[in-house]
Amino acid sequence: MAEAHVFHADPLARAIEAVVAAGGSAPREARLVAENLVLANLMGHDSHGIGMIPRYVASLLEGELAANQHPEVRLDGGALLALDGRKGYGQVIGFEAMQMAIERARQHGACVMTLANSHHLGRIGHWAEMAVAEGFIAMHFANEIGRAHV
């Protein structure tokens, strides 16, 4: 049986942050990605944690992932919002998209937000937790770039 290793969250997040920054990400983006991945591990979702970093590096090199992107509004219908993630890190795109959706729900009582072309969004529950923290509910249906699973 393999020997178990214990890593402290903060130094691990800083190491992941350095890797993401080395790929061209601004400090805020590197921090959001690293903290989100480490949190996924801490929540028991290892499949969406720091083990994703090799895939992210490959995606950067293959042009499937673009650093320093933000959601672009494709359709603004008030309570209906369609966004394009521009191949950005899902940890940033998802965070900013949820902030927009929460604000729209606050204004209109509800929001239906669609998000296309985002890279891996990580643990989807994280985005629902953002809504709950603001007194809203959220339902999520997700796909991956290039693979129509949903």
Side-chain angles (χ1 to χ4, degrees), residues 25-124:
S25 291
R28 175 184 177 263
E29 178 168 271
R31 180 181 46 78
L32 285 173
V33 172
E35 289 176 356
N36 184 279
L37 292 175
V38 170
L39 180 61
N41 286 109
L42 291 172
M43 298 292 287
H45 294 269
D46 293 335
S47 62
H48 287 64
I50 65 168
M52 293 300 299
I53 284 295
R55 182 66 214 136
Y56 288 6
V57 170
S59 291
L60 276 169
L61 296 173
E62 295 163 1
E64 296 173 357
L65 171 59
N68 304 310
Q69 300 299 310
H70 304 280
E72 180 180 326
V73 176
R74 293 297 177 120
L75 174 82
D76 185 345
L80 176 61
L81 190 59
L83 306 175
D84 187 317
R86 306 176 64 212
K87 299 195 297 185
Y89 277 99
Q91 290 82 358
V92 173
I93 301 299
F95 178 75
E96 293 177 1
M98 282 303 298
Q99 285 182 315
M100 295 168 79
I102 289 166
E103 184 55 36
R104 293 302 174 97
R106 191 173 278 119
Q107 290 174 358
H108 301 285
C111 177
V112 175
M113 182 263 292
T114 66
L115 173 61
N117 301 316
S118 174
H119 198 264
H120 184 249
L121 286 161
R123 186 179 67 85
I124 297 299

